[in-house]
Amino acid sequence: MNKKLFALVNASETILRKLVFSFIPAYRCIVCNAESDDLPVCYECRQKYFKVDSIKNNNCQRCGKKLISEKKLCMQCRSESILHHVNSVFPLFSYRLWSSEALCRWKLKDERIYSSFFAGLLRERLLEIFHEKGSYVIVPVPPRPGKIKEKGWDQIEELAVYLENVFKLPVLRLLERYSSVEQKSLDKEGRKLSIGKSYGVKRQVKNIPKKICLLDDVMTTGATIESCALKLKEAGSEEVIAVTLFIVDR
């Protein structure tokens, strides 16, 4: 979408929402079902269930999972990690409870109001990373071929549009996806075998940024971001981290 058109649509949506709330009862929070003008989750439930923890908390320095007794790396990353080209992962939330409900509504039920909600949360994480580790160019994980034509939109691309046009963060679309097979249809071994085959850097890309931050919605095994990081480092990037909305940590 054209940047000026996107900004106009976003501003119009905000104004329209305020006008609607002036004449009809407020919408209801998906968590507590209380009336709320702060869609799609009320302020109290945001603070309780969707508060973005600091990257300085006790997380695995490679995959981003919560650590209990280990130091620096979780047991899985010490013994059988598939993340060899991804320097670090910074997930916002574990994929549980209301996190899974919100993701389901966004991805499966096409409730696109969650796009701006998630983009705002991602902005918090990204600004903290930029403050602590320096600036990165954000590179969204691309959709499978035909997805946008089939569904009319892609969740990661919509987040990238918000980050770029509303929050003015640096975004480059450097990658393309070759495989049309959905990752969720593959088992763990199948995902591992797909590394290095499903994604690549676009042929027209000449200069690869030295520091890249991949953007994805969920990290399950890590195969997607590892595949992307592999190709980006082969093309010349020196450091590739990843920020995801959720991580499946069980």
Side-chain angles (χ1 to χ4, degrees), residues 198-230:
S198 300
Y199 298 88
V201 176
K202 294 177 180 178
R203 291 184 179 179
Q204 63 267 34
V205 175
K206 302 300 181 183
N207 298 310
I208 294 291
K210 297 301 182 185
K211 299 178 68 173
I212 288 176
C213 176
L214 288 167
L215 175 67
D216 204 0
D217 52 1
V218 182
M219 189 183 97
T220 305
T221 63
T224 294
I225 57 174
E226 172 63 16
S227 187
C228 293
L230 168 62

Side-chain angles (χ1 to χ4, degrees), residues 13 169 197:
E13 178 185 331
L169 296 176
K197 303 174 184 178

Side-chain angles (χ1 to χ4, degrees), residues 3-250:
K3 291 183 179 181
K4 291 183 178 179
L5 177 58
F6 180 84
L8 178 61
V9 170
N10 190 63
S12 301
E13 178 185 331
T14 301
I15 294 171
L16 179 60
R17 191 178 297 163
K18 289 181 178 180
L19 287 173
V20 168
F21 287 146
S22 299
F23 295 100
I24 65 173
Y27 286 90
R28 293 189 177 278
C29 169
I30 66 159
V31 179
C32 67
N33 203 37
E35 290 188 354
S36 172
D37 293 353
D38 196 12
L39 296 176
V41 180
C42 71
Y43 176 79
E44 289 76 13
C45 289
R46 283 190 188 213
Q47 296 301 305
K48 186 173 182 180
Y49 298 107
F50 291 95
K51 190 173 180 63
V52 180
D53 290 335
S54 172
I55 61 171
K56 297 179 182 179
N57 283 7
N58 193 32
N59 293 67
C60 176
Q61 292 183 2
R62 182 173 296 164
C63 72
K65 293 178 181 178
K66 293 286 185 184
L67 293 177
I68 300 175
S69 59
E70 304 96 333
K71 293 183 178 180
K72 295 186 177 180
L73 296 178
C74 67
M75 294 303 296
Q76 183 174 355
C77 284
R78 291 181 188 183
S79 60
E80 56 176 352
S81 175
I82 66 172
L83 300 179
H84 302 295
H85 296 87
V86 180
N87 294 84
S88 299
V89 183
F90 299 95
L92 272 66
F93 309 107
S94 295
Y95 184 62
R96 305 174 194 166
L97 196 62
W98 296 111
S99 297
S100 59
E101 171 68 14
L103 185 68
C104 176
R105 292 193 181 204
W106 184 50
K107 291 191 68 171
L108 302 182
K109 298 183 180 180
D110 294 332
E111 295 185 20
R112 293 174 70 169
I113 192 171
Y114 285 89
S115 297
S116 58
F117 172 65
F118 286 142
L121 296 173
L122 282 168
R123 174 181 176 272
E124 291 182 45
R125 169 66 81 235
L126 290 164
L127 290 181
E128 183 186 15
I129 291 172
F130 292 176
H131 177 74
E132 293 291 330
K133 297 171 62 66
S135 295
Y136 293 76
V137 173
I138 300 165
V139 175
V141 171
R144 58 183 170 81
K147 179 182 177 180
I148 294 180
K149 184 176 181 180
E150 175 189 327
K151 294 197 66 175
W153 70 300
D154 173 62
Q155 293 82 7
I156 308 305
E157 172 58 22
E158 188 147 295
L159 291 176
V161 169
Y162 271 96
L163 294 174
E164 181 179 28
N165 295 312
V166 177
F167 301 123
K168 308 303 180 185
L169 296 176
V171 176
L172 288 177
R173 295 158 180 82
L174 304 177
L175 297 167
E176 59 184 345
R177 183 170 172 177
Y178 306 135
S179 173
S180 59
V181 178
E182 294 187 68
Q183 284 289 94
K184 65 183 179 182
S185 68
L186 301 175
D187 59 17
K188 186 175 181 179
E189 189 61 30
R191 294 188 184 203
K192 285 183 179 181
L193 292 174
S194 71
I195 293 175
K197 303 174 184 178
S198 300
Y199 298 88
V201 176
K202 294 177 180 178
R203 291 184 179 179
Q204 63 267 34
V205 175
K206 302 300 181 183
N207 298 310
I208 294 291
K210 297 301 182 185
K211 299 178 68 173
I212 288 176
C213 176
L214 288 167
L215 175 67
D216 204 0
D217 52 1
V218 182
M219 189 183 97
T220 305
T221 63
T224 294
I225 57 174
E226 172 63 16
S227 187
C228 293
L230 168 62
K231 294 302 180 180
L232 289 168
K233 285 194 170 179
E234 286 180 346
S237 183
E238 296 177 355
E239 183 180 0
V240 179
I241 65 172
V243 169
T244 66
L245 286 171
F246 307 108
I247 183 170
V248 178
D249 57 359
R250 285 185 175 178

